[in-house]
Amino acid sequence: MKLRTEVLIIGGGATGTGISRDLALRGIPSVLIEKGDFSTGASGRNHGLFHSGGRYAVSDPEAARECMAENKILRKIAPHCIEETDGLFISLPEEGFDYRERFLRSCEKVGIQNTLLSRDDALELEPELNPSLLSAVKVPDGSIDPFALVLGNAQDAEGHGAKTLLHTEITSLIINGDKVTGARARDLTQGEEYSIEASYIINATGAWANQILKLAGLRIGMTLSKGSMLITNRRLTHRVINRCRPPFDGDIVVPNHTVSILGTTSIRLEEIENFGVTPHEVSLLIQETSKMIPAIQETRFIRAYAGIRPLFQSEEKGEDRAISRGFVLMDHGKNDGIKNLITITGGKLVTYRLMAEKTSDLVCQKMGVNVSCSTHLKPLPGANRPTGLTEQLKQFSINREETLCDCELVQRKEVDELLKTDKLKDLQDILHRTRLAKGTCQGGFCIHRLFGILHDLRMIEGDSNEALKQFLEERWKGIRPILWGAALKEEELIESIYKGIFNLIPTPPSPLEEEGEGGGSRH
Ligand SMILES: Cc1cc2nc3c(=O)[nH]c(=O)nc-3n(C[C@H](O)[C@H](O)[C@H](O)COP(=O)(O)OP(=O)(O)OC[C@H]3O[C@@H](n4cnc5c(N)ncnc54)[C@H](O)[C@@H]3O)c2cc1C
C-alpha cells in the first residue's frame, strides 16, 4: 500500500492532534500516524493541571505567560474538558515568607491574577490543609481532562478532512538529497508495512523526538526526565494545592473528578521504554504532599503511574527542574539542511494549541500559503456539553440504563455505540474513550462485564481469558507500588474473584522475576 499526503504528522498526543486540527481548519491535508492510541505518551500521563502559569512565574516567566494566555483561550474553546477549581499556593512555616513575596511579585509581572489569603481564610476554603500553614495565594489554576481534549482535537480534525492511522509506527524516513520525501510505517495490529509520501514531515513525538530524528541521522539536545504520580481513592480538596516554594518533589495535589493526583518527581532517564514508579518515589510523594494535606498519610491509593518529560537543553548534567518548560520548534531546513522536516517538542498540555499554531504557521510559510490560524476562536466538538460532576450525575440518573462501570458511571449503550464504529483495534481504545476501568476499582469489579460483551460479539481473537489476564497484568503494574492496608485487602478480594470465579491460572514468573528483580506477575 502507498499513501500520499501534503503533511505527515508523527505522534498522536495533544501536540500532534492539535496540529492535525489546525492544518485541517486551514484546508491543508494531513495524515497523522500514532504507534499506540491517542494520548499514549505524556498526554495521557500527566497531572492534568490546567496551569495558570503560577508554577513557572518565578523560574520561567516566558513559560508562565504562555500558560496564562492559553488558559484564557482553552476556557473558551474547550470548557467541557476543564474544571475551573482555582489553585492555592500555600506557605508552610519551614518556608517562611521570602519565596511568597517573590511569587507575588512575579505573578504581577507576568499578569497572573492572584489573591493573598490569610491562614484562616485558606482553611475555610480547604479544611484538609495543614492547620499550621502561614498563608495562601489564590490563582486561576484548574484541572483538565487530557483524554477528552486530545479526542476532541482528533475528532474535529477528521471532521475537516484530516486522516489518522492509530497503532501504526513510523519505522524509517525516506530521504532524497536535502528532503524527506516520505516514511515507512508498520500497522502494529496487522503487521502490514507501507510507505507514505509527503511534502512536509512534522515530528510531534515528544520524548521520542530523537528516535525519529535518528532515522534521518539527526538529533537535538534533549534530556528525558521521569515524573511519577499517585492517585488517591477520593478527592481530597476542591482546589489545586501547590507548595509556595521553589519547584521540588511532591509539591502539588490536583483534584480530578472524584480523585486527587499527587505529583511529582524528576528523575533523569536514558531510555524511554519500560519505566516504572519506584517504592522510593511513592514514599517521597506521600511524605512531601502530606506536609500540605496531613490526611494523605491515611489515604488509600488506587494507582501509581509515570510520564516522561522531554526537556530541551545542551546535555550537560544539571538540575532538570531548572530547564525551561517552554517548547521548541525546530526547522531542520535551517538547522540541518533537511528542508521539509520540522520538530516540535517540550511545552505543556496547556500550551498544545499554541505549539500547534506556531508549527502550522511554519508549514504555511514553507508552502507559501497565507491562511491564518482559527483554533483560538472555534470551540472543540462537545464544548456545549454540560460540565461539572453534579450536572453529569443528573444526566446519568435521567438516562440511566444498564451500567457497566459503577465508579465512572459508564453505561452499556455508550460502549455499544463505540463498538459499532470500525476504529477500535485494542481493548485500551475502549477504556480511553469511555473511562471504563479508570475509576477507584481500576477495573477490578467491571472489566469482566466488558469482556463478556466482547466475547459474545466474538470481538476478541483467541481465548478471552488470555486477553483478560493480559489486562490484569497491565493493571497490576500500576497497583503494585501502592499495595498496603485497605488497598491490599481489596486486591486480595479481586484476586480471589478472578482466580476463583473465572479460573484464571497465574502466568509462571520469568527467571528475572524469580530472582526478585522484575515487576512481578500476579494473575
Ligand atoms: C510527569 C508529567 C506531568 C505533567 N503534568 C502536566 C500538567 O499537569 N499540565 C500540563 O499542562 N502539562 C503537563 N505535562 C506536560 C504534558 O503532558 C506534555 O507537554 C504534553 O502531553 C506533550 O504532548 P505531545 O503530544 O507533545 O507528546 P506525547 O503526548 O508524548 O505524544 C507523542 C506521541 O508520539 C508517539 N510516537 C512516538 N514514536 C512514534 C513512532 N515512531 N511512530 C508513531 N508514533 C510515535 C507516542 O506514542 C506518543 O503518543 C506533564 C508531563 C509529565 C511527563
Side-chain angles (χ1 to χ4, degrees), residues 270-281:
E270 301 300 326
E271 293 287 322
I272 303 183
E273 315 298 338
N274 297 326
F275 50 92
V277 180
T278 63
H280 171 71
E281 287 179 288

Side-chain angles (χ1 to χ4, degrees), residues 11 13-15 34-35 41-43 46-47 49 170 309 347-350:
T15 310
E34 163 56 51
K35 68 177 174 176
S43 298
N46 55 67
H47 305 100
L49 169 65
I170 294 295
R309 310 174 184 93
K348 308 300 298 173
L349 187 69
V350 171

Side-chain angles (χ1 to χ4, degrees), residues 135-176:
S135 66
V137 181
K138 184 157 78 101
V139 295
D141 278 345
S143 78
I144 184 161
D145 179 343
F147 296 101
L149 184 74
V150 170
L151 284 172
N153 275 279
Q155 191 190 334
D156 204 31
E158 287 178 1
H160 286 87
K163 298 223 163 358
T164 305
L165 297 170
L166 297 176
H167 300 285
T168 302
E169 183 175 26
I170 294 295
T171 51
S172 61
L173 296 178
I174 304 162
I175 299 170
N176 202 340

Side-chain angles (χ1 to χ4, degrees), residues 100-292:
R100 188 191 78 182
E101 293 315 305
R102 279 171 65 202
F103 178 74
L104 285 166
R105 277 199 304 276
S106 303
C107 284
E108 286 298 321
K109 243 194 222 160
V110 174
I112 299 169
Q113 266 174 34
N114 59 86
T115 314
L116 180 58
L117 302 176
S118 68
R119 169 192 172 275
D120 291 351
D121 287 348
L123 281 171
E124 197 175 315
L125 290 178
E126 295 293 355
E128 296 275 12
L129 288 178
N130 183 342
S132 66
L133 89 162
L134 301 174
S135 66
V137 181
K138 184 157 78 101
V139 295
D141 278 345
S143 78
I144 184 161
D145 179 343
F147 296 101
L149 184 74
V150 170
L151 284 172
N153 275 279
Q155 191 190 334
D156 204 31
E158 287 178 1
H160 286 87
K163 298 223 163 358
T164 305
L165 297 170
L166 297 176
H167 300 285
T168 302
E169 183 175 26
I170 294 295
T171 51
S172 61
L173 296 178
I174 304 162
I175 299 170
N176 202 340
D178 59 359
K179 278 190 154 186
V180 186
T181 55
R184 299 270 315 152
R186 186 191 301 126
D187 181 327
L188 298 175
T189 52
Q190 307 293 324
E192 191 189 347
E193 299 216 5
Y194 48 91
S195 54
I196 305 163
E197 278 177 23
S199 308
Y200 300 92
I201 318 277
I202 300 174
N203 174 15
T205 54
W208 289 265
N210 269 332
Q211 289 189 4
I212 294 295
L213 290 176
K214 198 172 168 192
L215 303 174
L218 306 176
R219 65 171 284 114
I220 54 174
M222 200 173 87
T223 299
L224 301 176
S225 166
K226 179 181 74 158
S228 293
M229 289 146 286
L230 302 179
I231 309 179
T232 60
N233 81 329
R234 69 178 177 100
R235 183 168 169 147
L236 299 164
T237 56
H238 180 67
R239 290 160 190 79
V240 178
I241 307 298
N242 293 274
R243 189 114 173 237
C244 198
R245 67 173 180 190
F248 193 69
D249 294 327
D251 61 1
I252 184 164
V253 177
V254 185
N256 186 302
H257 295 274
T258 54
V259 300
S260 290
I261 299 174
L262 277 46
T264 177
T265 52
S266 179
I267 295 174
R268 199 174 274 208
L269 288 189
E270 301 300 326
E271 293 287 322
I272 303 183
E273 315 298 338
N274 297 326
F275 50 92
V277 180
T278 63
H280 171 71
E281 287 179 288
V282 173
S283 307
L284 184 65
L285 285 172
I286 294 175
Q287 179 193 307
E288 286 300 317
T289 52
S290 63
K291 290 179 186 162
M292 300 190 289

Side-chain angles (χ1 to χ4, degrees), residues 393-408:
L393 275 171
K394 216 190 300 166
Q395 291 297 325
F396 176 79
S397 52
I398 294 168
N399 305 323
R400 185 173 188 142
E401 286 180 25
E402 185 185 347
T403 305
L404 293 183
C405 167
D406 302 286
C407 303
E408 293 288 326

